[in-house]
Amino acid sequence: MSEIKYYSEAGLQKLRDELHHLIAVERPAASAAIAEARDKGDLSENAEYDAAKEAQGHLEARISKLQDLVANARLLDESKIDTSKVLLLSTITIRNTKNNAKQKYTIVPESEANLKQGKISVTSPFAQSFLGHEKGEVVDVVVPAGKMTFEILSIERE
């Protein structure tokens, strides 16, 4: 049995959209490529046929994985998120106490992490340092360069 994973509504919809695209668009295209290659003659020496079959195998594996993820996905109810503490789907604004630099991050499930968008994985040591803390608290975070200290300025829902 697969592991249950938690998703925001947007994250789960992204998985469903990708799965739909693979089934509705990519799978028929892979079948057509195999049929076209098969029409070109002797299958024992047909590299195009072998490549099309291999591509189909990768596609079917991805579809199977996505179906499994969607079947075992649990949707997080964002309306019930407590904003008094840092939790999954909290958006936090923090201030580095050493240089006063402010940063804003949203703590998301691992599969939705994207640092460029300010979304950090709940499983990352950085995010875990803040979990359970409240607004105004000062948190020490161990980073490769040593220890950094941050103050939590605000906690909001995603």
Side-chain angles (χ1 to χ4, degrees), residues 22-23 26-28 30 54-64:
L22 291 177
I23 290 172
E26 299 294 327
R27 184 183 270 168
E54 187 175 334
Q56 182 188 39
H58 291 298
L59 175 66
E60 291 302 325
R62 179 71 182 147
I63 288 172
S64 177

Side-chain angles (χ1 to χ4, degrees), residues 47-92:
E48 190 175 331
Y49 177 78
D50 291 339
K53 287 295 282 184
E54 187 175 334
Q56 182 188 39
H58 291 298
L59 175 66
E60 291 302 325
R62 179 71 182 147
I63 288 172
S64 177
K65 181 179 178 185
L66 282 174
Q67 286 173 329
D68 192 44
L69 284 172
V70 170
N72 292 296
R74 298 297 180 267
L75 190 60
L76 292 165
D77 187 351
E78 297 175 43
S79 67
K80 294 182 180 177
I81 293 175
D82 180 7
T83 57
S84 67
K85 295 186 252 190
V86 178
L87 301 169
L88 182 62
L89 295 185
S90 292
T91 297
I92 59 172

